[in-house]
Each structure stands twice: as structure tokens, then as C-alpha cells.
Amino acid sequence: MKKEETKNEIESKLLNLSRVERMTGGGRRLRFQAVVAVGDKKSKVGVATAKASDVSQAIDKATKLGKKNMIEVVMSEDTIPHQVEGNFGAAKVLLRPQEKGRGLIAGGTTKIICELAGIKNISAKTIARTGNKLNNAKATILALKKLRK
């Protein structure tokens, strides 16, 4: 029973789903790559990517990996304690704390990750030279890892 209760608390959202191909001697091999964000809305969040020959298998695989690689986010009263920046590849994300009642001011993958982490008041800016959702998600996770009390 305890395992079922913890499964229900953890929520997952699909950030990106893409079809990837590999050339072999016999032709093209199709697979699907899923990027999934997982969180419990109580300060734990994770991002993972997985490939499989079927869409649902790729999503399930990525969700399991995301649950395994969850991080604890340092929060103070529904926001983050200080301004922080995260870089991954060409992606750059800036997270700023906000007063109570301002809401979640962010775009794209950053907004989804902050929602799943349980952050209610934050201002985020993606200062990226890329639209790559995986890199933006990883930059957000790296920024959240840098937080200190």
C-alpha cells in the first residue's frame, strides 16, 4: 500500500517527444526519445530522457529514470532563497525569488519544472540561444541544485 501512495503523489509531465533515426545496412531504424519532468510538488523534482521503439515505452522508461534522479530543492515560503543561474550546453536559465502572491512567471520547460517542484512564486528567464527543451530543462535543474539556505 505504501508504494501505491508514493506513486500517486509523484506527478510527471512530458516535455518533449521526438522521433530519432539511425541508419543501418538494412535501412532506417526508428526510435522515439521522450523527455519527462517528474515532481511531488513538495520540493522534489527530476528530469530524464529515454529512448525506445514505442512511444509509451519511452515515456515509462523516462519517468522511472526521472523518479530515480530526483533532487531536493531548497525553498523558503513557496519561493527560492536567492537569485541563481544555470547553464547547460547553449541553454542559460536565470531564476529570481518573488514576494508572496506574485505567482509563477516563467516560460516553457522552466515553468513546468518549477510547478512540479512546488515553487509558487518565482520569476524565471530563459536567456538561451537554443530552443532545445532538454537542454533548457537540464539548465533549470542545475540552477535549482545551486540553491543554498
Side-chain angles (χ1 to χ4, degrees):
M1 276 215 137
K2 283 195 173 185
K3 281 189 177 179
E4 287 178 24
E5 288 173 17
T6 55
K7 277 186 184 177
N8 293 339
E9 289 175 19
I10 295 173
E11 197 176 308
S12 66
K13 286 198 177 176
L14 183 67
L15 297 177
N16 193 25
L17 183 68
S18 56
R19 197 179 85 179
V20 291
E21 294 177 349
R22 164 180 90 196
M23 286 303 292
T24 61
R28 291 188 178 116
R29 289 276 161 91
L30 290 175
R31 291 166 88 189
F32 294 93
Q33 181 187 34
V35 180
V36 175
V38 196
D40 65 353
K41 295 192 175 184
K42 296 175 190 168
S43 80
K44 282 191 175 183
V45 70
V47 171
T49 180
K51 291 180 193 171
S53 56
D54 185 38
V55 174
S56 60
Q57 285 177 341
I59 293 169
D60 291 343
K61 227 183 201 183
T63 306
K64 279 182 187 174
L65 278 171
K67 287 177 185 175
K68 199 182 282 186
N69 300 327
M70 287 177 100
I71 63 161
E72 188 81 34
V73 179
V74 176
M75 290 196 304
S76 58
E77 297 177 22
D78 296 334
T79 188
I80 56 176
H82 56 87
Q83 181 174 317
V84 71
E85 195 176 281
N87 297 318
F88 187 86
K92 193 175 189 180
V93 175
L94 179 69
L95 304 175
R96 289 192 190 120
Q98 290 292 332
E99 310 97 38
K100 196 170 186 174
R102 278 295 298 250
L104 216 157
I105 304 161
T109 56
T110 309
K111 183 172 188 167
I112 293 169
I113 290 169
C114 290
E115 275 177 12
L116 290 172
I119 303 169
K120 292 182 178 73
N121 302 301
I122 195 170
S123 173
K125 179 70 182 162
T126 307
I127 317 163
R129 299 187 304 267
T130 180
N132 187 330
K133 291 180 182 176
L134 176 60
N135 283 357
N136 287 334
K138 286 192 174 183
T140 306
I141 291 290
L142 287 175
L144 292 172
K145 274 186 184 177
K146 289 180 184 177
L147 290 172
R148 300 283 174 252
K149 271 278 182 197

